[in-house]
């Protein structure tokens, strides 16, 4: 690939970086609520830190949910079942009675069993009709199902026509009561032959008072609708609360009532576009801070689009999770496992980036929360616990302990906030601990997420690195067989680089594994490298340019072999950068000695490694460690000063040629690495202080 195409590809992601941040801001802003937030924050038993608050309009002080619920329960408890009087039954039974009366009258005339009835039939008929009318007007109730539990003295509501009447069950009749009433009343009817009417009247008895579920519910709804939802009035200009006042239960309810009225009268009338624009500005501000942080402290993330997307995608995922939970009935936002973010980011990067990403996620999603400050406080708190915990995905026991610490932090933090807010253990919502436990349990998802994200974004997890350290890996096995000297060199470089990385807070495991593979390209021509030579030097048969090409080719060949073996791109970058774009100085000087520079073409670029230069702390550490380990072998029985001077010279050379310019390595960190290298190499070469011999007396 020519340089113009390569530069175009590198510029393309750079052009998309600002666009990526803008797209994330717009996507998240659409999730924010369309109404404004109340401009005051308040909690029970807290101090009112604002100035004196006066009512800008009249508003009612609403009853609390507990008060309204108690009144509703009272209404439901004292609501009376409704029974409807069916007037058609009385008419039908009276008509049937008249028909039966005429039939029995004809038979009585023939049988001459009754003598007074045939002489005064109308009197008997009128009495029977009037008696039925009185019974049905009083009502014959039918009880079944749940109505059987109604007590005799319980109030029920009877609907007669369009009139509702409250009365007790004992004032109504059932079929048995009606039958007994007929039997007891006829002897006092004043009729000569009342027994004539007894079977006729008893035959027409039928329940005409029935329970109505719809009417009962309607009456209950009407009663519930009449509940007064307010318990007082605050007039315009009246002081609601003064500065530094303690927010009591009553003041809290007054402030809550004011907030709700403010929502209705002021906030709901504001322009939705202005609200969206406001949220967009805040989101952009937070994302600008993230961009500045990444650019300054994590340029590798900022400059590589896949790695940048990896950070930005957490913002979108958790914003949508909060939006979904907040708008789903029966779920609580404490369920969301925010700790997954710092755990995963810490696994692939470092603690500082993990904490900063977690803070950005919590700040952005904080706009969507209904739980307020306490929720944001708890999430930031557990994020710090994650960063401080020694979470190692290679150690299951340590990982579970970290999850336990997260739950304990949630539990203690929520308890403290609840005590401040409620001032009593008895009224704390203990069900929140169920959501907190589920939160900690779901945080375990970070473990299976790590290999998945590793494949998607090309990361390298500690689990993979440990697997690649196995000396039975094909490349390492070939290196041990074909270039054993190079393997020993790689092991020494690994020890140097690992110790230096640990000292400055870089990734020691990554740089140690990278050291094992950085020289695998030497497998192709192992004897051309001094650590593998045991006889005649094959470079004696080559020109300096040919030798330089062979030496440089170990980087190109190493990249090819690593790709073929499926090594992660991150490790391949170490192979590319461990010599940067330095020059093969020995062969270049030899070339100058053999060829007159002014008489030949300028072949100096052909003696340079292809690069690029190191772009991370770990790559820079490996480059320096590789050079120091190789150079120190050229010293025979070095003194401490000779050893230290050589190490200083190598580091100064890397700085002078700009090899460390792109690496995020401070001078302080470089100095710490220098001390580590000096200390280890001093130990390797057994440099000791020369004690003076005792003088002979």
């Amino acid at each position: 690939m020519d340089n113009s195409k390569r530069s175009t590809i590198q510029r393309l992601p750079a052009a998309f970086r600002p666009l990526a941040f803008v797209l994330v801001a717009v996507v998240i802003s659409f999730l924010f609520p369309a109404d404004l937030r109340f401009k005051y924050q308040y909690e029970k038993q807290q101090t009112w830190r604002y100035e004196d608050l006066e009512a800008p309009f009249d508003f009612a002080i609403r009853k609390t949910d507990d008060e309204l619920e108690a009144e509703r329960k009272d209404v439901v408890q004292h609501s009376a079942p409704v029974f409807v009087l069916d007037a058609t039954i009385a008419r039908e039974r009276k008509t049937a009675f008249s028909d039966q009366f005429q039939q029995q009258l004809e038979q009585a005339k023939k049988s001459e069993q009754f003598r007074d009835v045939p002489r005064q039939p109308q009197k008997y008929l009128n009495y029977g009709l009037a008696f039925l009318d009185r019974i049905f007007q009083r009502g014959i109730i039918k009880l079944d199902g749940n109505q059987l539990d109604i007590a005799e003295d319980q109030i029920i509501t009877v609907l007669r026509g369009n009139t509702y009447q409250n009365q007790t069950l004992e004032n109504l009749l059932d079929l048995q009561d009606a039958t007994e009433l007929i039997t007891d009343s006829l002897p006092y009817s004043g009729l000569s032959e009342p027994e004539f009417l007894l079977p006729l009247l008893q035959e027409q008895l039928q329940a005409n008072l029935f329970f109505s579920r719809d009417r009962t519910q309607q009456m209950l709804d009407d009663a519930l609708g009449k509940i007064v939802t307010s318990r007082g009035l605050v007039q315009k200009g009246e002081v609601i609360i003064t500065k530094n006042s303690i927010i009591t239960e009553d003041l809290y309810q007054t402030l809550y009532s004011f907030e709700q009225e403010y929502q209705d009268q002021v906030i709901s009338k504001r322009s939705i576009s202005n609200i969206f624009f406001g949220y967009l500005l805040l989101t952009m501000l937070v994302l600008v801070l993230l961009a500045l942080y990444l650019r300054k402290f994590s340029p590798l993330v900022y400059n590589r689009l896949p790695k940048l997307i990896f950070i930005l995608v957490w913002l979108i995922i958790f914003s949508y999770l909060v939006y979904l939970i907040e708008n789903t009935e029966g779920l609580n936002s404490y369920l969301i496992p925010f700790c997954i973010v710092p755990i995963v980011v810490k696994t692939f990067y470092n603690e500082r980036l993990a904490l900063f990403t977690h803070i950005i996620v919590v700040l952005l999603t904080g706009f969507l929360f209904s739980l307020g400050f306490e929720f944001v406080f708890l999430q930031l708190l557990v994020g710090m616990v994650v960063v401080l915990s020694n979470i190692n995905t290679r150690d299951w026991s340590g990982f579970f302990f970290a999850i336990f610490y997260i739950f304990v932090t949630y539990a203690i933090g929520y308890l403290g906030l609840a005590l401040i807010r409620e001032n009593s253990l008895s009224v704390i919502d203990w069900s929140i601990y169920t959501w907190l436990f589920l939160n900690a349990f779901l945080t375990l998802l970070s473990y299976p997420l790590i290999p998945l994200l590793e494949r998607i974004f090309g990361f390298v997890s500690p689990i993979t690195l440990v697997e690649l350290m196995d000396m039975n890996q094909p490349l390492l096995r070939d290196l041990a067989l074909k270039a054993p000297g190079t393997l020993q060199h790689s092991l020494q470089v690994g020890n140097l680089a690992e110790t230096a990385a640990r000292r400055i807070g870089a990734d020691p495991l990554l740089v140690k594994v990278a050291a094992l593979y950085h020289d695998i390209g030497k497998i192709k021509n192992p004897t051309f490298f001094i650590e593998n030579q045991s006889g005649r030097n094959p470079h004696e048969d080559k020109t300096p340019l040919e030798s330089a090409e062979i030496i440089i080719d170990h980087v190109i060949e190493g990249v090819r072999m690593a790709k073929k073996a499926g090594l992660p791109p991150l490790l391949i970058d170490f192979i590319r950068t461990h010599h940067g774009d330095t020059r093969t100085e020995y062969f270049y000087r030899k070339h100058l000695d053999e060829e007159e520079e002014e008489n030949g073409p300028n072949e100096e670029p052909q003696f340079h490694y292809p690069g690029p230069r190191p772009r991370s702390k770990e790559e820079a550490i490996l480059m320096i460690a590789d050079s120091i380990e190789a150079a120190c072998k050229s010293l025979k029985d070095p003194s401490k000063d000779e050893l230290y001077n050589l190490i200083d010279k190598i580091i100064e050379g890397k700085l002078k040629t700009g090899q460390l310019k792109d690496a995020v390595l401070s001078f302080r960190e470089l100095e710490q690495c220098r001390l580590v290298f000096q200390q280890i190499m001093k130990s390797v070469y057994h440099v000791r202080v020369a004690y003076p011999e005792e003088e002979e007396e």
Side-chain angles (χ1 to χ4, degrees):
M1 181 182 295
D2 58 42
N3 292 332
S4 62
K5 291 182 179 180
R6 184 180 292 111
S7 62
T8 301
I9 291 176
Q10 291 174 349
R11 287 196 302 270
L12 189 61
F16 274 97
R17 283 195 296 270
L19 180 61
F21 283 96
V22 172
L23 288 176
V24 171
V26 172
V27 169
I28 294 177
S29 296
F30 277 112
L31 301 178
F32 295 137
D35 54 351
L36 290 174
R37 293 191 180 266
F38 191 53
K39 56 185 178 181
Y40 301 108
Q41 297 291 326
Y42 56 94
E43 293 288 344
K44 295 177 184 178
Q45 305 303 322
Q46 296 298 298
T47 302
W48 180 259
R49 299 297 184 186
Y50 307 98
E51 297 297 326
D52 294 356
L53 179 61
E54 294 185 358
F57 42 73
D58 296 345
F59 68 92
I61 302 175
R62 305 187 181 194
K63 294 179 180 177
T64 65
D65 292 339
D66 291 340
E67 290 174 332
L68 292 174
E69 184 63 24
E71 292 188 26
R72 292 189 189 100
K73 287 182 178 179
D74 185 67
V75 168
V76 172
Q77 183 178 356
H78 293 89
S79 64
V82 178
F83 288 81
V84 179
L85 187 70
D86 190 348
T88 60
I89 291 178
R91 291 195 296 269
E92 292 173 356
R93 293 300 91 202
K94 288 164 66 176
T95 301
F97 172 77
S98 298
D99 294 340
Q100 289 291 330
F101 183 86
Q102 293 299 330
Q103 294 176 8
Q104 291 299 322
L105 180 61
E106 293 299 326
Q107 293 181 8
K109 289 179 180 179
K110 294 178 181 179
S111 64
E112 297 182 355
Q113 181 181 358
F114 298 97
R115 296 184 179 182
D116 189 55
V117 174
R119 289 197 298 267
Q120 303 181 75
Q122 194 62 41
K123 179 180 179 181
Y124 283 85
L125 178 61
N126 291 341
Y127 181 86
L129 292 173
F131 195 88
L132 287 175
D133 196 50
R134 289 195 304 272
I135 288 179
F136 284 120
Q137 187 60 33
R138 184 174 175 181
I140 303 176
I141 192 169
K142 180 182 180 182
L143 298 175
D144 54 11
N146 294 331
Q147 292 80 50
L148 293 173
D149 297 330
I150 299 176
E152 289 290 327
D153 58 348
Q154 182 177 337
I155 300 295
I156 67 170
T157 300
V158 177
L159 176 60
R160 291 184 171 89
N162 295 323
T163 304
Y164 287 94
Q165 297 176 346
N166 290 333
Q167 56 188 105
T168 59
L169 190 62
E170 59 188 2
N171 293 326
L172 299 173
L173 302 172
D174 58 18
L175 287 175
Q176 182 179 352
D177 293 337
T179 302
E180 292 175 355
L181 180 61
I182 293 173
T183 304
D184 295 340
S185 300
L186 283 180
Y188 304 98
S189 62
L191 299 174
S192 300
E193 298 172 339
E195 62 275 13
F196 178 80
L197 295 176
L198 180 61
L200 296 177
L201 292 173
Q202 289 179 339
E203 187 176 349
Q204 304 307 321
L205 293 179
Q206 181 181 341
N208 68 332
L209 199 56
F210 303 98
F211 173 73
S212 173
R213 190 176 303 278
D214 293 338
R215 295 282 185 176
T216 301
Q217 187 62 44
Q218 181 182 355
M219 289 284 290
L220 177 59
D221 292 341
D222 291 344
L224 291 174
K226 293 177 182 179
I227 294 177
V228 179
T229 59
S230 62
R231 63 183 183 189
L233 179 68
V234 176
Q235 296 182 342
K236 180 179 180 180
E238 184 178 342
V239 176
I240 300 174
I241 188 172
T242 58
K243 186 176 181 180
N244 295 326
S245 296
I246 300 299
I247 303 175
T248 61
E249 291 280 350
D250 291 339
L251 280 176
Y252 180 87
Q253 193 60 27
T254 303
L255 288 170
Y256 174 76
S257 302
F258 173 62
E259 178 182 357
Q260 299 305 309
E261 193 67 25
Y262 190 84
Q263 290 275 0
D264 296 337
Q265 293 197 25
V266 179
I267 294 180
S268 60
K269 297 178 182 178
R270 300 288 176 86
S271 172
I272 295 178
S273 60
N274 290 337
I275 298 172
F276 174 80
F277 185 68
Y279 279 123
L280 182 61
L281 282 179
L282 292 176
T283 305
M284 286 300 300
L285 177 61
V286 174
L287 289 177
V288 166
L289 293 176
L290 175 61
L292 292 175
Y293 176 87
L294 293 176
R295 185 174 181 179
K296 183 175 182 179
F297 297 105
S298 299
L300 277 179
V301 177
Y302 182 78
N303 293 321
R304 297 188 180 183
L305 192 59
K307 298 183 183 298
L308 181 61
I309 292 175
F310 168 75
I311 297 297
L312 295 179
V313 76
W314 292 111
L315 312 184
I316 297 176
I317 289 174
F318 276 86
S319 294
Y320 270 89
L321 274 177
V322 173
Y323 178 81
L324 179 65
I325 297 295
E326 287 285 328
N327 291 277
T328 303
E329 190 71 25
L331 295 180
N332 190 290
S333 293
Y334 281 114
L335 174 68
I336 304 173
F338 278 89
C339 289
I340 287 179
V341 177
I343 289 175
V344 174
V345 176
K346 181 182 176 183
T347 299
F348 294 127
Y349 292 107
N350 53 60
E351 292 87 350
R352 190 161 61 176
L353 180 58
L355 180 59
F356 198 86
T357 305
H358 179 71
I359 292 173
I360 294 296
V361 170
V362 173
L363 286 178
L364 286 179
T365 54
F367 293 125
L368 300 168
F369 291 133
S370 61
L371 300 175
F373 161 78
E374 67 177 43
F375 190 88
V376 174
F377 173 78
L378 278 179
Q379 300 308 327
L380 293 178
L381 197 64
V382 295
M384 296 176 189
V385 171
V386 170
V387 172
L388 293 174
S389 300
N390 186 23
I391 294 181
N392 189 344
T393 51
R394 294 175 291 158
D395 180 9
W396 265 108
S397 61
F399 189 73
F400 277 114
F401 270 113
I403 300 300
F404 174 73
Y405 296 149
I406 290 171
F407 175 73
V408 169
T409 304
Y410 269 129
I412 297 175
Y414 175 77
L415 180 61
L417 291 169
L419 285 173
I420 294 173
R421 183 179 63 252
E422 304 294 349
N423 196 26
S424 174
L425 287 173
S426 60
V427 295
I428 293 177
D429 185 5
W430 297 104
S431 65
I432 293 297
Y433 281 90
T434 302
W435 298 110
L436 294 177
F437 176 79
L438 291 174
N439 180 316
F441 181 78
L442 289 175
T443 305
L444 292 171
L445 289 174
S446 56
Y447 191 86
L449 272 177
I450 288 171
L452 176 64
L453 295 172
E454 182 179 3
R455 290 184 176 274
I456 294 176
F457 292 98
F459 292 122
V460 182
S461 70
I463 301 171
T464 300
L465 290 175
V466 171
E467 292 175 354
L468 291 173
M469 286 179 62
D470 186 357
M471 298 306 293
N472 287 317
Q473 290 285 340
L475 284 177
L476 296 181
R477 195 165 56 243
D478 284 351
L479 188 65
L481 292 174
K482 299 177 181 178
T486 299
L487 177 61
Q488 292 303 315
H489 161 72
S490 298
L491 291 171
Q492 292 292 338
V493 171
N495 291 332
L496 279 170
E498 179 189 15
T499 308
R502 183 171 283 108
R503 174 70 65 87
I504 67 171
D507 191 336
L509 180 61
L510 173 63
V511 75
K512 182 176 183 179
V513 177
L516 290 176
Y517 289 90
H518 80 285
D519 272 344
I520 56 174
K522 294 180 179 180
I523 295 175
K524 181 179 179 181
N525 294 300
T527 57
F528 281 87
F529 299 90
I530 192 168
E531 66 267 20
N532 299 310
Q533 293 174 2
S534 59
R536 187 170 179 274
N537 191 340
H539 285 290
E540 296 175 0
D541 300 328
K542 302 290 182 181
T543 65
L545 184 58
E546 291 173 337
S547 294
E549 289 176 350
I550 293 173
I551 296 298
I552 292 171
D553 186 61
H554 90 274
V555 173
I556 301 170
E557 181 65 18
V559 171
R560 186 193 67 79
M561 294 173 66
K563 287 182 177 179
K564 184 178 179 180
L567 287 187
L570 184 61
L571 291 181
I572 297 176
D573 285 343
F574 279 90
I575 300 175
R576 287 194 180 101
T577 62
H578 78 277
H579 283 292
D581 57 4
T582 56
R583 190 169 56 195
T584 53
E585 200 65 30
Y586 173 80
F587 293 109
Y588 177 65
R589 296 296 178 187
K590 186 177 180 182
H591 172 74
L592 292 181
D593 292 340
E594 294 179 1
E595 300 287 339
E596 292 294 332
E597 187 174 358
E598 62 273 14
N599 295 333
N602 184 13
E603 297 173 327
E604 195 264 350
Q606 299 181 50
F607 288 88
H608 280 268
Y609 285 95
R613 297 170 178 176
R615 293 163 295 183
S616 68
K617 293 179 182 180
E618 290 80 9
E619 290 177 359
I621 290 172
L622 179 63
M623 166 186 270
I624 299 172
D626 181 43
S627 298
I628 288 175
E629 202 282 333
C632 287
K633 285 182 177 179
S634 64
L635 300 176
K636 295 184 178 180
D637 298 326
S639 66
K640 175 182 175 182
D641 290 340
E642 289 175 337
L643 197 61
Y644 284 12
N645 288 337
L646 178 60
I647 293 173
D648 292 343
K649 182 180 178 181
I650 291 172
I651 294 176
E652 292 301 323
K654 302 300 182 186
L655 288 172
K656 186 177 179 180
T657 57
Q659 298 303 311
L660 307 181
K661 184 176 65 174
D662 298 331
V664 191
L665 194 66
S666 68
F667 283 106
R668 180 175 177 274
E669 291 170 333
L670 185 60
E671 182 60 27
Q672 289 178 316
C673 291
R674 183 201 306 266
L675 295 175
V676 168
F677 294 143
Q678 290 176 346
Q679 193 174 25
I680 294 178
M681 296 312 294
K682 174 185 172 183
S683 174
V684 169
Y685 287 93
H686 306 290
V687 175
R688 295 182 177 90
V689 176
Y691 294 99
E693 296 181 1
E694 295 183 2
E695 297 182 0
E696 294 183 2
E697 295 182 358

